[in-house]
Amino acid sequence: MKKNSDIGYLVLRITVAALMLFHGVAKLSHLDGIKGMLSGIGLPEFMAYGVYVTEIIAPILILIGFRTRLASLAFFFGMIAAMFLAHSDNLFALSKSGGLEIELILLYAFGALVLFFTGAGKYALSTKNSWD
């Protein structure tokens, strides 16, 4: 079978971005918990709006393949921030099935990191410059 990395990048982009969009859309009018968590650790509440960048804007850009590397980097750092801010109690905790409690966040984060290093591939809106 002939190798087709571009189809692989497309599948990865669609998977990571589309699945994260569900999380972002669910938070469109429900940032109170995130604002409370941020103010509880001494950070300004307005930082909660960064969730929209991480969970809506970046996934849309990744999905369509526009500035994929830059969007993936923002997505990656957003997932790392979420991991340490919202899930710091579970960093090394195991789930009932034996996996890490934070494995979904890690899959999102490192899927985005892969896209940062590879770019969007051929099936994308922008494929010309180094920050596609």
Side-chain angles (χ1 to χ4, degrees):
M1 183 173 189
K2 184 180 176 191
K3 179 177 120 176
N4 191 336
S5 298
D6 291 311
I7 293 289
Y9 300 144
L10 177 64
V11 169
L12 180 60
R13 283 189 6 245
I14 290 170
T15 303
V16 167
L19 291 176
M20 180 48 69
L21 272 172
F22 286 105
H23 292 274
V25 169
K27 291 180 181 119
L28 274 174
S29 60
H30 304 290
L31 286 182
D32 293 336
I34 297 170
K35 287 179 179 179
M37 178 189 55
L38 290 170
S39 65
I41 60 171
L43 293 172
E45 288 185 357
F46 78 86
M47 290 178 70
Y49 293 99
V51 166
Y52 295 147
V53 172
T54 299
E55 298 186 14
I56 296 176
I57 295 170
I60 288 171
L61 293 174
I62 291 168
L63 191 61
I64 63 174
F66 184 74
R67 302 287 188 234
T68 302
R69 295 183 71 212
L70 189 58
S72 295
L73 194 60
F75 185 98
F76 172 76
F77 284 119
M79 290 296 97
I80 297 303
M83 184 174 67
F84 284 109
L85 291 173
H87 303 278
S88 60
D89 294 342
N90 299 325
L91 289 179
F92 302 105
L94 297 179
S95 69
K96 293 176 187 173
S97 60
L100 285 174
E101 284 283 338
I102 59 166
E103 66 187 14
L104 184 59
I105 294 171
L106 293 172
L107 279 170
Y108 282 129
F110 288 99
L113 194 60
V114 168
L115 288 169
F116 170 73
F117 287 116
T118 63
K122 180 168 67 171
Y123 305 111
L125 218 54
S126 64
T127 59
K128 297 291 180 202
N129 70 40
S130 64
W131 283 97
D132 70 343

